[in-house]
């Protein structure tokens, strides 16, 4: 069964901490994405990557960075966590030209 | 600006009844439209993916329709079950783009 695995289901971090959210896919997909989901706002794209070491800003990249050193792993980094980054974070992946996306189960991050 | 509007925002139905969820979009040029089911606290799971040339697609008790001329889609759920309680998200991909445009979802509650 194909999988996108997010390392944590729930995280609680303090304001100002550096936070790493990890995402691993086992489908050899080229494209990987990070979204955040907030009530009333739907899913919004933070960053995506279409190849190793390549990254593109999405709609709301401010306060975030990403790293893709290996094809299967895409990390989202909050350099200095703030309370407005409390959210559900979803990772997704697909192959170039494919119609379907596979989502991870999500990480619920709370910044206190 | 590309937009996806879903209606209703929320819906409560009795177990065993049918229901229809609506999705209108302005994304152009169009590539495909997907319906996802998202259980509370989990990542979205794909139900159907429809391209320009498809106007009906079924997945068990779920039937999606697409009218690419009017830019409308619907998701019909037959003989609802308690496990159908979830948010249903309509997502549209534009042609030649990595990016998806997400609707805000319809929250369906099926009650006994």
């Amino acid at each position: 069964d194909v999988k996108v695995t997010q390392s944590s289901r729930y995280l609680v971090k303090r304001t100002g901490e550096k936070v790493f959210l990890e995402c691993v896919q086992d489908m050899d997909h080229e494209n990987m994405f990070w979204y955040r989901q907030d009530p009333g706002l739907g899913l919004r794209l933070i960053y995506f990557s279409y190849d190793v070491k390549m990254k593109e800003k999405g709609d709301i990249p401010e306060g975030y960075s990403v790293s893709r050193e290996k094809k299967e792993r895409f990390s989202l980094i909050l350099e200095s966590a703030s309370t407005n980054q409390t959210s559900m974070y979803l990772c997704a992946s697909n192959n170039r030209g494919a119609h379907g996306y596979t989502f991870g189960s999500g990480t619920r991050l709370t910044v206190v | 600006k590309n937009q996806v509007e879903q209606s209703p925002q929320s819906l409560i139905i009795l177990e065993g009844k049918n229901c229809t969820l609506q999705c209108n979009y302005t994304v152009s040029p169009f590539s495909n439209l997907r319906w996802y089911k998202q259980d509370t606290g989990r990542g979205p799971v794909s139900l159907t993916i429809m391209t320009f040339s498809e106007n009906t697609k079924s997945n068990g008790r779920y039937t999606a329709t697409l009218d690419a001329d009017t830019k409308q889609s619907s998701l019909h759920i037959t003989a609802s079950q308690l496990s159908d309680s979830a948010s249903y998200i309509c997502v549209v991909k534009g042609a030649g783009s990595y990016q998806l445009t997400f609707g805000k979802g319809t929250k369906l509650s099926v009650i006994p």
Side-chain angles (χ1 to χ4, degrees):
Chain A
D1 214 10
V2 295
K3 269 195 176 164
V4 176
T5 303
Q6 294 183 232
S7 53
S8 304
R9 288 289 310 280
Y10 301 95
L11 272 181
V12 180
K13 297 291 182 180
R14 295 195 180 278
T15 302
E17 274 193 79
K18 189 169 186 175
V19 181
F20 292 86
L21 303 184
E22 304 288 346
C23 175
V24 176
Q25 50 94 2
D26 65 0
M27 298 162 283
D28 203 35
H29 283 171
E30 288 102 350
N31 304 325
M32 296 187 75
F33 306 81
W34 274 107
Y35 294 89
R36 65 178 280 177
Q37 185 177 30
D38 300 288
L41 296 178
L43 277 82
R44 293 178 291 166
L45 181 65
I46 305 171
Y47 267 98
F48 68 97
S49 168
Y50 52 87
D51 205 347
V52 175
K53 296 191 187 294
M54 305 302 289
K55 61 185 180 184
E56 292 282 344
K57 292 180 181 179
D59 300 318
I60 50 164
E62 296 79 17
Y64 303 95
S65 62
V66 290
S67 172
R68 192 158 181 211
E69 296 297 317
K70 293 184 178 181
K71 191 175 185 181
E72 66 271 18
R73 185 180 296 270
F74 192 35
S75 303
L76 179 70
I77 304 154
L78 286 66
E79 296 290 342
S80 177
S82 63
T83 55
N84 64 13
Q85 291 178 310
T86 291
S87 186
M88 171 73 130
Y89 289 88
L90 290 160
C91 176
S93 72
N94 78 339
N95 262 334
R96 201 166 296 140
H99 292 317
Y101 285 61
T102 302
F103 283 87
S105 293
T107 296
R108 170 76 62 187
L109 173 67
T110 302
V111 182
V112 298
Chain B
K1 184 183 174 184
N2 289 334
Q3 287 187 315
V4 175
E5 300 286 342
Q6 290 187 244
S7 62
Q9 277 190 315
S10 61
L11 183 61
I12 302 173
I13 61 172
L14 291 174
E15 187 180 9
K17 298 296 186 184
N18 303 335
C19 67
T20 300
L21 314 180
Q22 300 289 347
C23 173
N24 297 340
Y25 62 93
T26 62
V27 177
S28 183
F30 173 84
S31 175
N32 59 69
L33 181 146
R34 313 107 184 276
W35 283 95
Y36 285 89
K37 178 186 179 189
Q38 185 176 22
D39 293 317
T40 302
R42 305 305 298 251
V45 174
S46 181
L47 294 174
T48 65
I49 299 172
M50 302 179 74
T51 59
F52 186 88
S53 58
E54 297 172 300
N55 52 28
T56 302
K57 192 172 256 190
S58 290
N59 177 1
R61 295 180 296 103
Y62 301 101
T63 299
T65 66
L66 173 65
D67 185 334
D69 291 330
T70 61
K71 295 185 168 58
Q72 294 180 325
S73 176
S74 65
L75 181 70
H76 186 75
I77 304 174
T78 304
S80 60
Q81 299 175 358
L82 298 178
S83 58
D84 293 331
S85 295
S87 287
Y88 291 84
I89 303 173
C90 176
V91 186
V92 179
K93 182 176 181 299
S97 169
Y98 289 105
Q99 294 212 31
L100 307 177
T101 304
F102 288 81
K104 293 178 182 176
T106 292
K107 186 175 172 66
L108 174 66
S109 299
V110 180
I111 59 174

